[in-house]
Amino acid sequence: MKLLFKQRFFSWLDSYDIYYEDGSTAYTVRGQLSWGHCLKIFDPYGQELGMVQERVLTWLPKFELYVGGQYIGCISKELSFFKPRYNIECNGWHVEGDWLEWDYQVLGPQGDLVARVSKEVWNWTDTYTIDVAFPDDALYALMLVLAIDAEKCSRD
């Protein structure tokens, strides 16, 4: 299953539209004014599904994940050189990226491929393709991409 992740061009806060391959809306993401990034994920009907909240004052970037208002875990960046690495506390996933930080592989606990994320370079706004192996993992893969994009935005 593929999702197309596009940041909105005119937006005061982080806002994204996520589409299925056929062009229909899968999710909408709206940023909230807060200390650190706070991104709420909604279904096409406006119901909140989840939230990615940046923890502030940490040595390495960390993002808390919420689904249905319940804390499920966090995404944390590891100290690494040349290639970025992230761990997802809630499901044992591990993320490895290329040195340009545009392409990622999300690996499961046994090293199986969960998702592949690639950034499209020649766009006015941040645009990613998320190729998820199982549709049930789409929300978690989206949360991961949001956290990585927010971390890169804070660093730049």
Side-chain angles (χ1 to χ4, degrees):
M1 174 177 140
K2 285 190 181 185
L3 297 172
L4 180 64
F5 172 106
K6 277 185 91 95
Q7 183 177 25
R8 290 185 185 159
F9 190 67
F10 293 107
S11 174
W12 289 103
L13 300 170
D14 294 327
S15 293
Y16 306 90
D17 294 312
I18 293 79
Y19 302 99
Y20 293 113
E21 286 181 272
D22 66 4
S24 62
T25 301
Y27 305 98
T28 301
V29 179
R30 290 184 228 135
Q32 302 285 310
L33 189 60
S34 70
W35 185 262
H37 291 274
C38 179
L39 304 165
K40 292 191 176 188
I41 304 165
F42 299 90
D43 69 10
Y45 308 104
Q47 295 201 326
E48 186 177 330
L49 300 175
M51 181 175 70
V52 177
Q53 173 73 51
E54 183 178 10
R55 281 189 197 166
V56 293
L57 303 176
T58 60
W59 188 59
L60 290 173
K62 290 187 182 196
F63 293 84
E64 296 176 343
L65 307 178
Y66 296 87
V67 173
Q70 298 292 320
Y71 175 79
I72 61 165
C74 81
I75 296 171
S76 57
K77 186 170 185 182
E78 292 181 3
L79 182 62
S80 61
F81 300 100
F82 304 114
K83 291 185 177 188
R85 296 170 56 107
Y86 298 85
N87 279 322
I88 306 173
E89 178 183 286
C90 62
N91 53 14
W93 289 0
H94 186 76
V95 179
E96 294 184 4
D98 67 1
W99 65 277
L100 291 173
E101 299 188 49
W102 288 340
D103 298 315
Y104 298 88
Q105 288 188 350
V106 182
L107 305 173
Q110 280 74 38
D112 51 317
L113 184 65
V114 174
R116 181 165 293 153
V117 180
S118 59
K119 183 173 183 176
E120 296 181 13
V121 181
W122 306 109
N123 286 302
W124 288 100
T125 62
D126 289 340
T127 303
Y128 296 89
T129 301
I130 308 168
D131 191 0
V132 183
F134 300 104
D136 291 345
D137 293 332
L139 179 62
Y140 299 108
L142 173 60
M143 294 173 117
L144 173 70
V145 173
L146 288 168
I148 291 172
D149 189 64
E151 186 271 327
K152 286 171 49 178
C153 178
S154 293
R155 191 171 6 123
D156 296 340

